[in-house]
Short mmCIF file of all heavy atoms in Angstrom, two decimals:
data_model
loop_
_atom_site.label_atom_id
_atom_site.label_comp_id
_atom_site.label_asym_id
_atom_site.label_seq_id
_atom_site.Cartn_x
_atom_site.Cartn_y
_atom_site.Cartn_z
N GLU A 569 0.83 -1.21 0.00
CA GLU A 569 0.00 0.00 0.00
C GLU A 569 0.86 1.26 0.00
O GLU A 569 0.47 2.29 -0.55
CB GLU A 569 -0.96 0.00 1.19
CG GLU A 569 -0.30 0.19 2.54
CD GLU A 569 -1.31 0.48 3.65
OE1 GLU A 569 -2.38 1.04 3.37
OE2 GLU A 569 -0.99 0.15 4.81
N ILE A 570 2.05 1.18 0.61
CA ILE A 570 2.96 2.32 0.61
C ILE A 570 3.79 2.34 -0.66
O ILE A 570 4.04 3.39 -1.26
CB ILE A 570 3.87 2.29 1.85
CG1 ILE A 570 3.02 2.30 3.14
CG2 ILE A 570 4.85 3.46 1.84
CD1 ILE A 570 2.07 3.49 3.25
N ASN A 571 4.21 1.16 -1.10
CA ASN A 571 4.98 1.04 -2.34
C ASN A 571 4.16 1.45 -3.55
O ASN A 571 4.70 1.98 -4.54
CB ASN A 571 5.48 -0.41 -2.48
CG ASN A 571 6.28 -0.66 -3.72
OD1 ASN A 571 5.72 -1.02 -4.75
ND2 ASN A 571 7.59 -0.45 -3.65
N GLY A 572 2.85 1.19 -3.50
CA GLY A 572 1.95 1.69 -4.53
C GLY A 572 1.65 0.76 -5.69
O GLY A 572 1.02 1.17 -6.66
N ALA A 573 2.08 -0.51 -5.61
CA ALA A 573 1.88 -1.45 -6.73
C ALA A 573 0.49 -2.06 -6.68
O ALA A 573 0.31 -3.28 -6.59
CB ALA A 573 2.94 -2.54 -6.69
N ALA A 574 -0.54 -1.22 -6.75
CA ALA A 574 -1.92 -1.66 -6.57
C ALA A 574 -2.52 -2.20 -7.86
O ALA A 574 -2.25 -1.70 -8.96
CB ALA A 574 -2.77 -0.50 -6.05
N LEU A 575 -3.36 -3.23 -7.72
CA LEU A 575 -4.12 -3.77 -8.84
C LEU A 575 -5.24 -2.79 -9.20
O LEU A 575 -5.94 -2.29 -8.32
CB LEU A 575 -4.72 -5.12 -8.45
CG LEU A 575 -5.60 -5.84 -9.48
CD1 LEU A 575 -4.79 -6.24 -10.71
CD2 LEU A 575 -6.26 -7.06 -8.86
N SER A 576 -5.43 -2.52 -10.49
CA SER A 576 -6.48 -1.59 -10.90
C SER A 576 -7.84 -2.28 -10.86
O SER A 576 -7.95 -3.49 -11.08
CB SER A 576 -6.22 -1.08 -12.32
OG SER A 576 -6.60 -2.05 -13.28
N PRO A 577 -8.91 -1.54 -10.58
CA PRO A 577 -10.26 -2.12 -10.55
C PRO A 577 -10.66 -2.77 -11.88
O PRO A 577 -11.31 -3.81 -11.89
CB PRO A 577 -11.15 -0.92 -10.23
CG PRO A 577 -10.26 0.04 -9.52
CD PRO A 577 -8.92 -0.13 -10.14
N MET A 578 -10.25 -2.17 -13.00
CA MET A 578 -10.61 -2.74 -14.30
C MET A 578 -9.93 -4.09 -14.51
O MET A 578 -10.55 -5.05 -15.00
CB MET A 578 -10.22 -1.78 -15.43
CG MET A 578 -10.79 -2.17 -16.79
SD MET A 578 -12.59 -2.08 -16.85
CE MET A 578 -13.00 -3.68 -17.53
N ASP A 579 -8.65 -4.18 -14.16
CA ASP A 579 -7.96 -5.46 -14.27
C ASP A 579 -8.56 -6.48 -13.30
O ASP A 579 -8.69 -7.66 -13.63
CB ASP A 579 -6.46 -5.29 -14.00
CG ASP A 579 -5.71 -4.76 -15.20
OD1 ASP A 579 -6.17 -4.99 -16.34
OD2 ASP A 579 -4.67 -4.11 -15.02
N ALA A 580 -8.92 -6.04 -12.10
CA ALA A 580 -9.55 -6.94 -11.13
C ALA A 580 -10.86 -7.49 -11.69
O ALA A 580 -11.15 -8.69 -11.55
CB ALA A 580 -9.81 -6.22 -9.81
N TYR A 581 -11.63 -6.64 -12.34
CA TYR A 581 -12.89 -7.09 -12.95
C TYR A 581 -12.63 -8.13 -14.04
O TYR A 581 -13.31 -9.17 -14.11
CB TYR A 581 -13.65 -5.90 -13.53
CG TYR A 581 -14.84 -6.31 -14.36
CD1 TYR A 581 -16.03 -6.70 -13.75
CD2 TYR A 581 -14.75 -6.35 -15.75
CE1 TYR A 581 -17.12 -7.10 -14.51
CE2 TYR A 581 -15.83 -6.76 -16.52
CZ TYR A 581 -17.01 -7.13 -15.90
OH TYR A 581 -18.07 -7.55 -16.66
N SER A 582 -11.65 -7.86 -14.91
CA SER A 582 -11.32 -8.81 -15.98
C SER A 582 -10.85 -10.14 -15.41
O SER A 582 -11.19 -11.21 -15.93
CB SER A 582 -10.25 -8.22 -16.90
OG SER A 582 -10.72 -7.06 -17.56
N LEU A 583 -10.06 -10.09 -14.34
CA LEU A 583 -9.59 -11.31 -13.69
C LEU A 583 -10.75 -12.08 -13.06
O LEU A 583 -10.82 -13.31 -13.16
CB LEU A 583 -8.53 -10.98 -12.65
CG LEU A 583 -7.22 -10.39 -13.19
CD1 LEU A 583 -6.35 -9.88 -12.04
CD2 LEU A 583 -6.46 -11.42 -14.01
N LEU A 584 -11.66 -11.36 -12.41
CA LEU A 584 -12.84 -11.99 -11.83
C LEU A 584 -13.67 -12.71 -12.89
O LEU A 584 -14.10 -13.85 -12.70
CB LEU A 584 -13.72 -10.94 -11.14
CG LEU A 584 -13.35 -10.53 -9.72
CD1 LEU A 584 -14.10 -9.26 -9.36
CD2 LEU A 584 -13.70 -11.64 -8.74
N ARG A 585 -13.89 -12.05 -13.99
CA ARG A 585 -14.68 -12.63 -15.07
C ARG A 585 -14.00 -13.88 -15.63
O ARG A 585 -14.64 -14.91 -15.85
CB ARG A 585 -14.88 -11.59 -16.18
CG ARG A 585 -15.76 -12.07 -17.33
CD ARG A 585 -15.91 -10.99 -18.37
NE ARG A 585 -14.60 -10.56 -18.87
CZ ARG A 585 -14.44 -9.59 -19.76
NH1 ARG A 585 -15.49 -8.91 -20.19
NH2 ARG A 585 -13.25 -9.26 -20.19
N GLY A 586 -12.69 -13.78 -15.82
CA GLY A 586 -11.95 -14.93 -16.33
C GLY A 586 -11.96 -16.12 -15.39
O GLY A 586 -12.03 -17.27 -15.82
N MET A 587 -11.92 -15.84 -14.09
CA MET A 587 -11.82 -16.92 -13.11
C MET A 587 -13.09 -17.76 -13.01
O MET A 587 -13.05 -18.88 -12.49
CB MET A 587 -11.46 -16.36 -11.74
CG MET A 587 -10.00 -15.93 -11.64
SD MET A 587 -9.55 -15.42 -9.98
CE MET A 587 -9.64 -16.98 -9.11
N LYS A 588 -14.19 -17.26 -13.51
CA LYS A 588 -15.43 -18.04 -13.46
C LYS A 588 -15.32 -19.34 -14.26
O LYS A 588 -16.01 -20.32 -14.00
CB LYS A 588 -16.61 -17.20 -13.95
CG LYS A 588 -17.00 -16.08 -12.99
CD LYS A 588 -18.14 -15.26 -13.53
CE LYS A 588 -18.47 -14.07 -12.63
NZ LYS A 588 -19.09 -14.47 -11.36
N THR A 589 -14.44 -19.36 -15.25
CA THR A 589 -14.24 -20.57 -16.05
C THR A 589 -12.90 -21.24 -15.76
O THR A 589 -12.44 -22.08 -16.54
CB THR A 589 -14.32 -20.24 -17.56
OG1 THR A 589 -13.32 -19.26 -17.89
CG2 THR A 589 -15.70 -19.71 -17.94
N LEU A 590 -12.26 -20.88 -14.65
CA LEU A 590 -10.92 -21.39 -14.36
C LEU A 590 -10.86 -22.91 -14.36
O LEU A 590 -9.99 -23.50 -15.02
CB LEU A 590 -10.45 -20.84 -13.00
CG LEU A 590 -9.07 -21.32 -12.53
CD1 LEU A 590 -7.98 -20.86 -13.49
CD2 LEU A 590 -8.77 -20.81 -11.12
N LYS A 591 -11.74 -23.55 -13.64
CA LYS A 591 -11.68 -25.02 -13.55
C LYS A 591 -11.95 -25.67 -14.91
O LYS A 591 -11.25 -26.63 -15.30
CB LYS A 591 -12.67 -25.54 -12.51
CG LYS A 591 -12.50 -27.03 -12.20
CD LYS A 591 -13.30 -27.43 -10.97
CE LYS A 591 -12.99 -28.86 -10.55
NZ LYS A 591 -13.66 -29.85 -11.41
N LEU A 592 -12.91 -25.15 -15.64
CA LEU A 592 -13.20 -25.70 -16.96
C LEU A 592 -11.99 -25.58 -17.89
O LEU A 592 -11.63 -26.53 -18.59
CB LEU A 592 -14.39 -24.96 -17.59
CG LEU A 592 -15.75 -25.12 -16.90
CD1 LEU A 592 -16.78 -24.22 -17.57
CD2 LEU A 592 -16.21 -26.57 -16.95
N ARG A 593 -11.37 -24.40 -17.88
CA ARG A 593 -10.21 -24.18 -18.74
C ARG A 593 -9.04 -25.08 -18.36
O ARG A 593 -8.42 -25.73 -19.21
CB ARG A 593 -9.77 -22.72 -18.68
CG ARG A 593 -10.72 -21.75 -19.35
CD ARG A 593 -10.17 -20.35 -19.38
NE ARG A 593 -10.29 -19.63 -18.12
CZ ARG A 593 -9.32 -19.36 -17.28
NH1 ARG A 593 -8.08 -19.78 -17.55
NH2 ARG A 593 -9.53 -18.69 -16.16
N VAL A 594 -8.72 -25.09 -17.07
CA VAL A 594 -7.56 -25.85 -16.61
C VAL A 594 -7.73 -27.34 -16.83
O VAL A 594 -6.78 -28.03 -17.23
CB VAL A 594 -7.26 -25.53 -15.12
CG1 VAL A 594 -6.21 -26.47 -14.56
CG2 VAL A 594 -6.80 -24.09 -14.98
N GLU A 595 -8.92 -27.85 -16.60
CA GLU A 595 -9.15 -29.28 -16.87
C GLU A 595 -8.92 -29.62 -18.34
O GLU A 595 -8.30 -30.64 -18.67
CB GLU A 595 -10.57 -29.67 -16.45
CG GLU A 595 -10.75 -29.76 -14.94
CD GLU A 595 -12.16 -30.13 -14.53
OE1 GLU A 595 -13.10 -29.91 -15.33
OE2 GLU A 595 -12.34 -30.63 -13.40
N ARG A 596 -9.39 -28.76 -19.22
CA ARG A 596 -9.19 -28.97 -20.66
C ARG A 596 -7.69 -28.87 -21.00
O ARG A 596 -7.15 -29.68 -21.77
CB ARG A 596 -9.99 -27.94 -21.44
CG ARG A 596 -9.78 -27.93 -22.96
CD ARG A 596 -10.26 -29.22 -23.61
NE ARG A 596 -10.25 -29.09 -25.06
CZ ARG A 596 -11.33 -28.83 -25.80
NH1 ARG A 596 -12.51 -28.64 -25.21
NH2 ARG A 596 -11.24 -28.75 -27.10
N GLN A 597 -7.01 -27.89 -20.42
CA GLN A 597 -5.59 -27.72 -20.70
C GLN A 597 -4.75 -28.87 -20.13
O GLN A 597 -3.78 -29.30 -20.75
CB GLN A 597 -5.13 -26.35 -20.16
CG GLN A 597 -5.68 -25.20 -20.99
CD GLN A 597 -5.65 -23.86 -20.28
OE1 GLN A 597 -5.93 -23.76 -19.09
NE2 GLN A 597 -5.30 -22.81 -21.01
N ASN A 598 -5.13 -29.36 -18.95
CA ASN A 598 -4.46 -30.55 -18.40
C ASN A 598 -4.51 -31.71 -19.39
O ASN A 598 -3.49 -32.36 -19.68
CB ASN A 598 -5.15 -31.01 -17.10
CG ASN A 598 -4.91 -30.10 -15.91
OD1 ASN A 598 -4.00 -29.28 -15.91
ND2 ASN A 598 -5.73 -30.25 -14.89
N GLU A 599 -5.71 -31.98 -19.86
CA GLU A 599 -5.94 -33.13 -20.75
C GLU A 599 -5.20 -32.97 -22.08
O GLU A 599 -4.55 -33.90 -22.57
CB GLU A 599 -7.45 -33.28 -20.98
CG GLU A 599 -7.84 -34.47 -21.83
CD GLU A 599 -9.34 -34.56 -22.04
OE1 GLU A 599 -10.10 -33.91 -21.28
OE2 GLU A 599 -9.77 -35.28 -22.96
N SER A 600 -5.30 -31.78 -22.67
CA SER A 600 -4.66 -31.54 -23.96
C SER A 600 -3.14 -31.56 -23.86
O SER A 600 -2.46 -32.10 -24.74
CB SER A 600 -5.13 -30.20 -24.54
OG SER A 600 -6.50 -30.23 -24.85
N ALA A 601 -2.59 -30.97 -22.79
CA ALA A 601 -1.14 -30.96 -22.61
C ALA A 601 -0.59 -32.37 -22.50
O ALA A 601 0.49 -32.68 -23.05
CB ALA A 601 -0.77 -30.14 -21.38
N MET A 602 -1.29 -33.25 -21.81
CA MET A 602 -0.85 -34.64 -21.69
C MET A 602 -0.83 -35.31 -23.06
O MET A 602 0.13 -36.01 -23.42
CB MET A 602 -1.77 -35.40 -20.73
CG MET A 602 -1.45 -36.88 -20.61
SD MET A 602 0.12 -37.18 -19.77
CE MET A 602 -0.46 -37.20 -18.07
N THR A 603 -1.87 -35.09 -23.85
CA THR A 603 -1.96 -35.69 -25.18
C THR A 603 -0.83 -35.19 -26.08
O THR A 603 -0.20 -35.97 -26.80
CB THR A 603 -3.33 -35.36 -25.82
OG1 THR A 603 -4.37 -35.85 -24.97
CG2 THR A 603 -3.46 -36.00 -27.19
N ILE A 604 -0.57 -33.88 -26.02
CA ILE A 604 0.49 -33.29 -26.85
C ILE A 604 1.87 -33.76 -26.39
O ILE A 604 2.74 -34.06 -27.22
CB ILE A 604 0.38 -31.75 -26.81
CG1 ILE A 604 -0.88 -31.31 -27.56
CG2 ILE A 604 1.62 -31.09 -27.42
CD1 ILE A 604 -1.26 -29.86 -27.34
N ALA A 605 2.07 -33.86 -25.09
CA ALA A 605 3.36 -34.34 -24.57
C ALA A 605 3.65 -35.76 -25.06
O ALA A 605 4.78 -36.07 -25.46
CB ALA A 605 3.34 -34.30 -23.04
N ARG A 606 2.64 -36.61 -25.05
CA ARG A 606 2.82 -37.98 -25.53
C ARG A 606 3.11 -38.02 -27.03
O ARG A 606 3.93 -38.81 -27.50
CB ARG A 606 1.58 -38.82 -25.21
CG ARG A 606 1.47 -39.18 -23.73
CD ARG A 606 0.18 -39.88 -23.41
NE ARG A 606 0.15 -40.34 -22.02
CZ ARG A 606 -0.95 -40.56 -21.32
NH1 ARG A 606 -2.14 -40.33 -21.89
NH2 ARG A 606 -0.90 -40.97 -20.07
N TYR A 607 2.44 -37.13 -27.78
CA TYR A 607 2.70 -37.05 -29.22
C TYR A 607 4.15 -36.62 -29.47
O TYR A 607 4.87 -37.24 -30.27
CB TYR A 607 1.72 -36.07 -29.87
CG TYR A 607 2.22 -35.50 -31.17
CD1 TYR A 607 2.22 -36.25 -32.34
CD2 TYR A 607 2.72 -34.20 -31.23
CE1 TYR A 607 2.70 -35.73 -33.54
CE2 TYR A 607 3.20 -33.66 -32.41
CZ TYR A 607 3.19 -34.43 -33.56
OH TYR A 607 3.69 -33.91 -34.74
N LEU A 608 4.58 -35.54 -28.80
CA LEU A 608 5.93 -35.02 -29.01
C LEU A 608 7.00 -36.02 -28.58
O LEU A 608 8.09 -36.07 -29.17
CB LEU A 608 6.09 -33.70 -28.27
CG LEU A 608 5.31 -32.50 -28.81
CD1 LEU A 608 5.38 -31.33 -27.84
CD2 LEU A 608 5.85 -32.07 -30.18
N GLN A 609 6.70 -36.78 -27.55
CA GLN A 609 7.66 -37.76 -27.04
C GLN A 609 8.06 -38.78 -28.11
O GLN A 609 9.17 -39.32 -28.07
CB GLN A 609 7.04 -38.47 -25.83
CG GLN A 609 8.03 -39.16 -24.92
CD GLN A 609 7.36 -39.72 -23.69
OE1 GLN A 609 6.19 -40.11 -23.70
NE2 GLN A 609 8.08 -39.78 -22.58
N ASN A 610 7.18 -39.00 -29.05
CA ASN A 610 7.44 -39.99 -30.10
C ASN A 610 7.82 -39.37 -31.44
O ASN A 610 7.92 -40.07 -32.44
CB ASN A 610 6.20 -40.89 -30.28
CG ASN A 610 5.90 -41.71 -29.04
OD1 ASN A 610 6.79 -42.36 -28.50
ND2 ASN A 610 4.65 -41.68 -28.58
N HIS A 611 8.01 -38.03 -31.46
CA HIS A 611 8.35 -37.37 -32.72
C HIS A 611 9.87 -37.41 -32.93
O HIS A 611 10.63 -37.08 -32.01
CB HIS A 611 7.86 -35.92 -32.71
CG HIS A 611 7.82 -35.31 -34.08
ND1 HIS A 611 8.96 -34.91 -34.75
CD2 HIS A 611 6.77 -35.07 -34.93
CE1 HIS A 611 8.62 -34.42 -35.92
NE2 HIS A 611 7.30 -34.51 -36.05
N PRO A 612 10.32 -37.77 -34.13
CA PRO A 612 11.77 -37.92 -34.37
C PRO A 612 12.58 -36.62 -34.25
O PRO A 612 13.79 -36.67 -34.05
CB PRO A 612 11.83 -38.48 -35.80
CG PRO A 612 10.52 -38.10 -36.42
CD PRO A 612 9.53 -38.14 -35.31
N MET A 613 11.94 -35.46 -34.39
CA MET A 613 12.67 -34.20 -34.32
C MET A 613 12.69 -33.58 -32.92
O MET A 613 13.23 -32.50 -32.72
CB MET A 613 12.08 -33.19 -35.31
CG MET A 613 12.24 -33.59 -36.77
SD MET A 613 13.94 -34.06 -37.19
CE MET A 613 14.82 -32.54 -36.89
N ILE A 614 12.12 -34.27 -31.95
CA ILE A 614 12.09 -33.77 -30.58
C ILE A 614 13.05 -34.58 -29.72
O ILE A 614 12.96 -35.80 -29.64
CB ILE A 614 10.66 -33.85 -30.00
CG1 ILE A 614 9.67 -33.09 -30.88
CG2 ILE A 614 10.64 -33.31 -28.57
CD1 ILE A 614 9.98 -31.63 -31.08
#
């Protein structure tokens, strides 16, 4: 509060809105990242 590195209300609102789908997004990203990792693991150029 003295240093002054405060989060702006507009950014806080955008973060709040985004967080409503946090679990849905992360679950999808977990699943897709695993699939992609397995694909890359078997690619000859990786």
Side-chain angles (χ1 to χ4, degrees):
E569 70 168 332
I570 302 303
N571 179 270
L575 178 65
S576 78
M578 191 65 230
D579 280 333
Y581 171 79
S582 296
L583 295 170
L584 277 166
R585 183 180 57 183
M587 286 185 69
K588 290 178 184 289
T589 59
L590 178 63
K591 189 168 187 283
L592 295 174
R593 289 186 282 106
V594 170
E595 286 179 337
R596 174 65 170 260
Q597 289 162 319
N598 287 344
E599 183 181 343
S600 295
M602 177 68 87
T603 302
I604 291 167
R606 286 174 175 155
Y607 157 75
L608 290 170
Q609 199 174 30
N610 296 311
H611 196 285
M613 294 310 297
I614 304 301

